[in-house]
Amino acid sequence: MNEVTHILSAMEQGDPHAAEQLLPLVYDELRKLAAQKMAQEAPGHTLQATGLVHEAYLRLVDVEQVRQWNSRGHFFAAAAEAMRRILIDHAREKLALKRGGDWQRVPLAEVDPPAGTPPEDLLALNEALEQLTHLDPTAGQLVKLRYFAGLSVEQAAATLNLATATAYRHWTFARAWLHSQVGGTPPDSAG
């Protein structure tokens, strides 16, 4: 059992010092993940990658609500999901009517994630992704890992314990389904 998995197990058993030991081991990977997410955000975003890492980490190791982690991969998948939720919350907050919101749906074809994802597009994608996850949880998780965590189909398949061919089938379905719901080109249509 690697050191991260061992510390995650200690956290489950209530070791109050385990969370302190975990951060130095996972910080660099979480920072890379956060930087990748922030690169997809519109320029001038008020949330920095470091802040995103810290918020996500605090949600993951909440001492009042102990979580069970099956593996290191499970922890990082949860970290990607926590970062996604933080960015969604931030986008919703930014677009609240009291802050001058009044957003409209934008076709997914107009989204260019590497150059920046405007909050409106992120919310439209999130709404469609919530529906997809309800319809097909595996496809929904695969999209989250591909789009929000930046994993390849092969890496996402390993994280979800799927055969690569099965992951590609889910990815093809998810892209087509999102395309039909939001319109335009699905996220990362290159494969």
Side-chain angles (χ1 to χ4, degrees):
M1 182 163 39
N2 74 31
E3 194 171 356
V4 172
T5 305
H6 178 71
I7 292 172
L8 291 171
S9 177
M11 286 172 61
E12 286 178 27
Q13 296 170 8
D15 182 349
H17 303 292
E20 295 171 17
Q21 297 169 350
L22 180 64
L23 185 59
L25 296 175
V26 298
Y27 185 81
D28 287 339
E29 286 183 65
L30 290 176
R31 180 76 169 82
K32 287 177 188 173
L33 183 61
Q36 193 175 42
K37 295 291 109 220
M38 295 310 298
Q40 297 173 351
E41 294 296 309
H45 203 288
T46 57
L47 187 61
Q48 300 288 324
T50 301
L52 182 58
V53 167
H54 292 187
E55 267 192 68
Y57 187 78
L58 288 174
R59 288 186 184 190
L60 292 171
V61 297
D62 182 4
V63 292
E64 294 176 12
Q65 183 182 8
V66 178
R67 292 179 174 85
Q68 293 184 343
W69 308 106
N70 298 334
S71 66
R72 185 177 189 279
H74 182 219
F75 176 80
F76 281 101
E81 177 68 12
M83 289 181 191
R84 180 184 76 86
R85 289 181 181 182
I86 290 165
L87 290 172
I88 294 300
D89 290 346
H90 191 271
R92 283 188 179 131
E93 188 176 295
K94 185 175 180 179
L95 294 175
L97 286 176
K98 68 180 182 180
R99 293 196 171 96
D102 205 16
W103 61 277
Q104 298 176 353
R105 283 186 185 233
V106 175
L108 197 53
E110 296 175 18
V111 176
D112 188 13
T117 304
E120 298 88 2
D121 295 346
L122 189 59
L123 290 176
L125 176 61
N126 183 61
E127 186 178 317
L129 188 53
E130 295 280 332
Q131 293 172 3
L132 173 63
T133 302
H134 182 70
L135 176 69
D136 184 341
T138 303
Q141 285 297 322
L142 187 66
V143 171
K144 290 174 188 176
L145 291 172
R146 294 271 292 134
Y147 188 75
F148 290 100
L151 300 181
S152 68
V153 173
E154 292 80 8
Q155 291 168 326
T159 299
L160 296 172
N161 293 323
L162 295 174
T164 303
T166 302
Y168 272 105
R169 281 193 303 273
H170 280 288
W171 178 241
T172 301
F173 164 73
R175 285 179 34 221
W177 192 89
L178 287 171
H179 177 63
S180 72
Q181 295 300 305
V182 181
T185 306
D188 189 19
S189 60

